[in-house]
Amino acid sequence: MTMVDIILKKRNGYPLSKEEIAHFVEGYTKGSIPDYQAAALLMAIYFQKMNKEETAHLTEAIMKSGRLVDLSAIEGIKVDKHSTGGVGDKTTLALGAMVAACGVPVAKMSGRGLGHTGGTIDKLESIPGFSVELSIADFIKNVNDIKLAVIGQSKDLAPADKMLYALRDVTGTVDNISLIASSVMSKKLAAGADAIILDVKTGDGAFMKDIEDSFLLAKEMVDIGTSMGRETVAIITDMDQPLGLAIGNSLEVKEALQTLKGNGPEDFTELCINLGAHMLLLAKNATTFEEARGKIKDTMASGTALETFKAFVKGQGGNIAYIENMELLPKSDKVMALLAEKEGYIHGIEAEAVGLGALALGAGRENKESSIDLSVGLVLNKKVGDYVAEGDTLAYLHYNDENRLSSAKERLIKAFKLQSEKPKERPLIYGLVTKNGIERY
Ligand code: URA
């Protein structure tokens, strides 16, 4: 079989076999298939699409391109959570501690932020001393003892995905359901969890802007997980505005801590309760959804979620004085109010523009080498549906550098979409996808 035959077959609309897909992924990872042929095949896949079988074969080939993590030394059913990416998404920080406080092991591999999206590891590193550089043995020990540990995603996990994703990024082939589903699921499957919950974002700030496409993507990923023997469920959630109020590393840690104490923003708290309840069900820690919701809520009311978070931070070298008194966490020198330039109801807060505004303040990385300022970012004062008069405060900008402030302000003010009529209420969670089908809320 030659790569030209494979490209022609897909270009002409025929399904590829398991062997052809494996030949492509292996050859591309080893360097025997050049970028130009891989790019041609990706574009053919983009236009001709892949069926479910091809997508499952592609996922398996990408998963097998690197190391498969073995979590069998961790007691209990390991459930992993993945979000398809969002702005202000500090879910792992709060959710991990809530679920672990119920006795369910959470063994998480996370990444750093790039561009307009933040990363869990950067956020955790706002806590002095905290390190994600654990050996696999210590990682497993911490999960067994504390029920929660987070490490950086190792370089040899699904290396084909890193190469293919970089190529897709520069060839206009990112937003294809089979390519996204195989990219996400190959990493999740290689990371070794027994069951997986996916938070598929929909709306302006998400890969999938259209709700129906988001359900299709979720179904595709659930089917892949199921076909590989891992119970997988997905919820579809709103990303027409950032999640919660805080965007920026230490600001998000503070918001996660407030949430663990039961004082978090309503949307973020509800998302944690919903995702957490699904995780307990997948781990067989509860028998009904209502029971599972109750258990997660109890972790906030009783203080066990916060205690678990402290033990987790201590277990990874972090100074818990910063958790006990969060005023000690990195703080910017200055704060200014971003004021509304006209009156109206907020119809949307463009998540990507907000992410880019936070990046302009220094909270994110423009490229892999850039350093970040853990103290800066913004805290929203208004959300979608709120009415604002001219001069009302839309958000508080936490900054250190005046030069960075002006470009951030310009982006952020444009992120708020104001209209004269009140917008229709939108749900936070649009539905649930399981192996049995789609349930719309
Ligand atoms: N996230 C991923 O990991 N891969 C994609 O293709 C899109 C989002």
Side-chain angles (χ1 to χ4, degrees), residues 82 84 161 165 168 174 179-180 183-184 187 207:
H82 181 81
T84 58
D161 178 62
Y165 194 79
R168 284 166 59 209
V174 168
L179 296 177
I180 298 176
S183 163
V184 170
K187 287 174 287 201
F207 278 103

Side-chain angles (χ1 to χ4, degrees), residues 38 79 93 119 141 162 174 176 189 204 303 311 365 368:
V79 185
L93 303 180
K141 182 175 183 320
K162 281 188 198 75
V174 168
N176 169 277
L189 293 165
D204 166 76
R365 281 188 189 81
K368 279 192 202 145

Side-chain angles (χ1 to χ4, degrees), residues 203-432:
D204 166 76
F207 278 103
M208 291 290 143
K209 316 254 178 252
D210 175 74
I211 179 80
E212 290 314 313
D213 284 346
S214 308
F215 273 107
L216 283 178
L217 173 64
K219 186 79 180 85
E220 195 80 33
M221 294 196 285
V222 167
D223 288 346
I224 293 171
T226 309
S227 75
M228 302 285 285
R230 318 280 177 95
E231 196 172 345
T232 308
V233 302
I235 59 171
I236 314 298
T237 69
D238 181 54
M239 200 23 87
D240 264 341
Q241 61 180 332
L243 184 62
L245 302 173
I247 299 102
N249 298 285
S250 67
L251 294 168
E252 292 190 42
V253 172
K254 284 182 199 163
E255 187 164 282
L257 289 172
Q258 274 153 353
T259 306
L260 290 176
K261 294 178 190 168
N263 305 321
E266 206 180 306
D267 60 344
F268 179 55
T269 304
E270 174 52 30
L271 184 64
C272 288
I273 296 171
N274 191 294
L275 284 167
H278 282 296
M279 289 175 80
L280 298 196
L281 284 180
L282 287 168
K284 315 268 184 268
N285 181 277
T287 44
T288 68
F289 192 59
E290 276 318 304
E291 183 202 345
R293 280 184 66 91
K295 282 187 157 188
I296 294 289
K297 284 187 191 168
D298 279 351
T299 68
M300 290 183 264
S302 64
T304 54
L306 186 64
E307 286 311 310
T308 304
F309 192 82
K310 277 190 211 164
F312 153 66
V313 167
K314 195 166 173 211
Q316 299 201 210
N319 185 342
I320 60 164
Y322 289 75
I323 308 303
E324 281 160 354
N325 177 7
M326 53 187 192
E327 289 310 308
L328 297 174
L329 286 165
K331 213 187 246 175
S332 69
D333 294 340
K334 291 165 264 192
V335 179
M336 75 152 287
L338 180 73
L339 304 181
E341 291 174 346
K342 58 177 188 177
E343 67 165 343
Y345 286 96
I346 301 177
H347 277 238
I349 306 175
E350 282 182 358
E352 187 171 341
V354 171
L356 290 170
L359 175 73
L361 289 171
R365 281 188 189 81
E366 266 143 60
N367 57 56
K368 279 192 202 145
E369 281 71 42
S370 33
S371 60
I372 55 176
D373 182 343
L374 295 167
S375 69
V376 300
L378 65 144
V379 179
L380 299 174
N381 192 46
K382 300 284 178 191
K383 294 271 282 188
V384 168
D386 286 344
Y387 171 81
V388 289
E390 188 184 331
D392 277 356
T393 300
L394 295 169
Y396 292 97
L397 312 189
H398 295 241
Y399 69 103
N400 288 321
D401 180 340
E402 299 286 343
N403 295 329
R404 285 180 165 276
L405 180 67
S406 55
S407 81
K409 246 169 66 181
E410 215 173 290
R411 282 181 188 283
L412 290 166
I413 199 78
K414 286 195 199 133
F416 287 82
K417 299 294 167 205
L418 298 182
Q419 287 184 30
S420 51
E421 287 89 43
K422 201 171 166 49
K424 267 209 307 223
E425 258 191 55
R426 271 193 305 254
L428 171 67
I429 302 171
Y430 286 88
L432 173 70

Side-chain angles (χ1 to χ4, degrees), residues 157-179:
L157 195 94
D161 178 62
K162 281 188 198 75
M163 295 173 68
L164 286 169
Y165 194 79
L167 190 61
R168 284 166 59 209
D169 208 20
V170 292
T171 54
T173 51
V174 168
D175 54 339
N176 169 277
I177 286 180
S178 293
L179 296 177

